[in-house]
Amino acid sequence: ALLELSGVHEVKGTWMGSTTVPCTYMPSEGFTQQTLTWSMERDYSTSTIFRRDDSGDHVLLSQFRDRVSVPKQSSGNISLLIEKLEIPDSGHYTCRVIWKSTNNSLITKEVTTAVKVVKVAVTKPVIRATEPGLAFPAGAKASLTCVASGSPPIRYRWFRGAPGGRALLLGSGPELAWDSLRPADAGTYYCEAENR
């Protein structure tokens, strides 16, 4: 029986997102997995991040605590899930497995994957405008919605008045709503969207 680990050459992840570094093998009769270690090489130094053995799963580096895990349910899938990615998580990750055969000999295999963490391009908010000049009957329910695309988080503010002039702040959500419109509600309203 041939035990081979399979992985990929490179994985990209987005800053603050999550990524999976694949590592799998076909379980084979007569061989049991003794230990699994995931290590990371960065700036010419290698550290073990994760170890699975008879005593359970252990995360050995504090900067990865609560951020890395390996699936438990399927025996041949030992991929590493990294969550809340940080830029320093970029590096070379090695999956190393030691199996024990029925005659007590040990087999070791490893596979290395480059992980690149990239920042998302930051974009300023762009507002999709509704058609200007809406007419409603008095007493009607009505709402104005502000939808902006761009890098989150986006904060919204609704004003009554004209941009650049004297304006009254009415709300701080994407929607401005009325339960029952009065004639005095007629006027000009505008929305501001802001992100970092």
Side-chain angles (χ1 to χ4, degrees), residues 82-162:
I82 313 171
E83 297 176 275
K84 297 195 190 85
L85 284 164
E86 300 285 355
I87 299 298
D89 293 344
S90 296
H92 287 84
Y93 288 72
T94 300
C95 169
R96 186 167 185 262
V97 182
I98 302 173
W99 294 274
K100 194 177 196 175
S101 70
T102 40
N103 65 7
N104 281 343
S105 64
L106 297 177
I107 293 183
T108 304
K109 291 279 166 82
E110 59 181 47
V111 62
T112 298
T113 302
V115 174
K116 284 200 172 123
V117 182
V118 291
K119 279 217 169 181
V120 189
V122 176
T123 54
K124 69 177 193 169
V126 177
I127 296 175
R128 286 209 303 276
T130 50
E131 68 274 24
L134 294 169
F136 297 100
K141 274 180 86 110
S143 66
L144 297 173
T145 307
C146 192
V147 182
S149 58
S151 305
I154 298 177
R155 289 191 302 277
Y156 296 94
R157 291 191 300 176
W158 275 101
F159 296 92
R160 180 172 184 175

Side-chain angles (χ1 to χ4, degrees), residues 1 5-6 11 18 35 37 45 47 57 62 72-73 89-90 102 112 127 137-138 148 150 158-160 165 169 174 188:
L5 285 182
S6 59
V11 168
S18 61
T35 57
T37 54
S45 71
S47 326
D57 288 3
S62 58
K72 286 192 172 75
Q73 54 279 8
D89 293 344
S90 296
T102 40
T112 298
I127 296 175
W158 275 101
F159 296 92
R160 180 172 184 175
L169 176 65
T188 305

Side-chain angles (χ1 to χ4, degrees), residues 13 15 22 25 28 32 34 42 45 62 68 79 85 87 93 140 155 164:
W15 177 65
Y25 66 89
S28 179
T32 50
Q34 291 288 103
R42 186 167 193 256
S45 71
S62 58
V68 296
S79 303
L85 284 164
I87 299 298
Y93 288 72
R155 289 191 302 277

